[in-house]
Structure formats: C-alpha cells, structure tokens
Amino acid sequence: MADAQKNSGRRPWRGAVPWIVAALVLATVGLPSVAALGAMPSAPLVGHARPLAAPVSVAVNLTDAPAFSPRFLSAPAGSNVSVLLANRGNFTHTFTLAATPGARLSPSLSPAGVFAFFRANGTLANVSVAPGGQAWANFTLNASVGLSSFEFASIVPYQFQAGMWGLLNVTSVGPGLVMSDNTTDQLQFVPNVLAASPAHYPIVIDVLVTNQGSFGHTFTLAPQSNVSLSPANFTQYFQQHAPLVSVTVPSGGGSTVWANFTLTGPGVYQYICEVPGHFANGMYGLLYAGVAVPTPPPPPSTALVESWVLVGSGILLGIGIGVAIVASYAGRFPRSPDSHHGPH
Ligand SMILES: [Cu+2]
C-alpha cells in the first residue's frame, strides 16, 4: 500500500516532462543558432581573389669563376620569387636583375656600360653579397609580363665581362590574383563586392567578367582608392583620371572578358558600368584590396527569429512548470478507486 501511494504520488509529474524537455531542447538548440545568426552578417556575395602562381624559392651560388650557379632560373609570371644567394668565393658579387623583360646586356659593355644598362632598364633586385655571405633577393614577376626572360649579372667591375650573368626565364603566363564577376540584365554586378588580400604591391589582378544576360556592359575601375563616384560625376572623373582598366563586356549570354590591372596599394576601389543609365541603376561594385569587407548589421528577420525562440521556449517552460505544479498538487490527494476512468 505504501508503494502504491508513492507511485501514484510520482506518476502525475510525468505529464510535465515532455513540456520541460521541449522547452530545454528549443532553448539549447535554438538559442546558440540564433546567437550565431545574430553575430553573423547578412553576408554580402563577395568574390574573393585567389592566387594562381605559387611562390618560387631558388638557391644560387655566386662563385669566383666568376659565375652564377645555376645560370638559368625559371619562375611563372605573377609569382613572388625568393632567391637565396650564397657567395662561395673570396670576392664580393652582386645579383642585379633587370626589370625590363627581354633586355639583354651586350657582351662588349664596359663596367660603366653595365651600370648604364641597369640604370636605363631598372632592377627587380640588386643585392650585394660579401665573400662567404648569404643574402635573399626577393621580387615579384608581374603577372602580365608574358613569356620572356630577365637578365641578371654581377655589376662588380669586369665580373659580367668575365661571364658572370644569367637569365631568369618566365615559364608560364599567369595573373597574380584572379577573381570573377558577372553582369546581369538587371543592370547589376554579381557579386558587387570583390575582396583581395594581396601579400604585396604592386599586384596584378585579373578579373574574369562573364555576361549572364544579353546586354553589353563595361567593367571600368577607378584608378584611385576611396573615391566615391556618382552617375553625375563619373564621366568627368574618368576624363581626368584614366581608369585602371576599362573593358567592354560583350552582349550575349556567356560572353566573357578579362579585366586585367595592377594595384599599387591597398584601398577600396570602385568599379562601374559606363553604359548610359546602368550606373544610375546601381550597376557598380567595390573592390576591397587589403581592406576588410565591412560587415552589415544583422537583418531584422534575425531579431524576429530570436524573439520567437525566446518566447517559444518560455511558453513551453511555463506550460511544463504549470503542469508540474498542478500535477504535484493533484498528487497529494488520495484518489477515488475509479478516478483513473475519468470524470463522470
Ligand atoms: Cu552595364
């Protein structure tokens, strides 16, 4: 009889269990995801740049022959090249690399002529290495350099004349960073946010623009960062500041064009479509180079979801507690033997 009393006193609680469990489940499952939603921006569609050419690292010995060993180096266009220079001799040598592709030193040049050559053609690297020492020559091969070769030499007098020269051959053509964008007949760029995080400047960026609609467009990029163009002023602006790139996106679905340009520094660069009326319709985008894409505030719908989850779990918890109170209150009273058949 005591056991039966205990059981009947505990059993009424069971009615509350599903409600409390439901409330807990909603709270534990719903709230974290709502919290995540709240923290997460309504992510704009962002096109991200990706590197194409992997960094290249090579080692070159500088000897008293005098010579570079190896004499011929290779790297793809659009790559960062690091050359570890080790001077194995007893004389100072330099690794002086011409910046002009295809420019070749004439074997008959005097020491002064060698200096003049590098002054005229510029240098991608000019590193002097003491006897027994090591040094790095770091430089970037422009992505749009094309298949070519860059000559390097030691500019210590008479070392070039004695044979201390070599060639860096560009083995493949490729952009530094590539990304893609699309144009639509709704007169929009999709995405209208491009993000690039170049490891260095200048950086060549090649954007493949694909026409998803039938109208023709242009991809025209402002040469200055943080300039806010308007449909009223862009024509005058571009007359005074030549676009970094301006290409025509041919009409017809699926047609593509590459917009290739070189950025000299980080910033937010605006690009627009110059076809009359398109920019006014909102056909522009922003390229964030080395600058974080701003995160917009969470949309109102997130707040709605959040409040409903809170209210919902509160209601369920309230029902559960109510059922538990009623059940425990009812459980204190002895029942008539036929009470479980329901009220008459
Ligand atoms: Cu357009």
Side-chain angles (χ1 to χ4, degrees):
M1 189 59 190
D3 280 340
Q5 196 82 17
K6 240 161 107 185
N7 283 343
S8 69
R10 207 166 48 194
R11 205 170 274 127
W13 282 88
R14 290 184 184 170
V17 168
W19 296 99
I20 293 172
V21 167
L24 288 175
V25 165
L26 186 58
T28 54
V29 173
L31 283 180
S33 65
V34 165
L37 269 179
M40 196 170 60
S42 64
L45 192 56
V46 180
H48 287 278
R50 55 190 187 279
L52 195 74
V56 173
S57 186
V58 293
V60 175
N61 290 320
L62 291 69
T63 73
D64 286 345
F68 294 102
S69 177
R71 179 192 294 278
F72 300 107
L73 312 177
S74 60
S79 60
N80 293 319
V81 182
S82 297
V83 183
L84 179 58
L85 304 163
N87 189 335
R88 305 296 184 190
N90 297 310
F91 296 94
T92 294
H93 301 284
T94 78
F95 176 87
T96 304
L97 177 65
T100 306
R104 296 297 305 269
L105 287 152
S106 164
S108 61
L109 284 176
S110 65
V114 172
F115 277 105
F117 170 88
F118 284 110
R119 259 202 308 276
N121 290 286
T123 55
L124 285 176
N126 184 22
V127 178
S128 181
V129 191
Q134 288 195 341
W136 286 96
N138 302 307
F139 53 91
T140 301
L141 286 181
N142 192 296
S144 39
V145 67
L147 291 175
S148 186
S149 60
F150 295 83
E151 184 158 7
F152 54 90
S154 174
I155 57 172
V156 174
Y158 300 106
Q159 291 189 356
F160 161 73
Q161 289 79 4
M164 192 162 186
W165 60 272
L167 290 174
L168 170 67
N169 296 312
V170 180
T171 53
S172 69
V173 179
L177 292 172
V178 289
M179 46 179 37
S180 52
D181 208 337
N182 301 281
T183 57
T184 71
D185 280 354
Q186 287 71 47
L187 311 186
Q188 302 288 327
F189 287 107
V190 179
N192 60 4
V193 176
L194 299 176
S197 304
H200 56 85
Y201 295 92
I203 179 76
V204 170
I205 297 183
D206 294 349
V207 182
L208 180 64
V209 186
T210 301
N211 195 342
Q212 290 187 335
S214 54
F215 304 145
H217 303 279
T218 77
F219 182 97
T220 306
L221 180 66
Q224 298 168 305
S225 65
N226 308 316
V227 170
S228 197
L229 301 173
S230 76
N233 73 9
F234 80 87
T235 304
Q236 190 185 8
Y237 173 81
F238 282 125
Q239 279 167 0
Q240 292 165 353
H241 310 89
L244 218 44
V245 67
S246 182
V247 291
T248 297
V249 188
S251 60
S255 57
T256 61
V257 65
W258 281 99
N260 304 330
F261 52 92
T262 301
L263 285 187
T264 54
V268 183
Y269 297 83
Q270 188 173 15
Y271 57 95
I272 68 163
C273 174
E274 289 188 278
V275 174
H278 289 200
F279 183 19
N281 190 68
M283 192 159 190
Y284 73 93
L286 296 170
L287 165 63
Y288 292 82
V291 176
V293 176
T295 55
S301 61
T302 303
L304 275 177
V305 170
E306 183 170 16
S307 65
W308 276 110
V309 169
L310 283 173
V311 169
S313 76
I315 289 172
L316 288 173
L317 195 60
I319 292 174
I321 290 171
V323 168
I325 290 172
V326 170
S328 65
Y329 180 73
R332 287 180 185 168
F333 295 89
R335 296 174 174 197
S336 62
D338 58 351
S339 69
H340 60 278
H341 294 306
H344 292 285

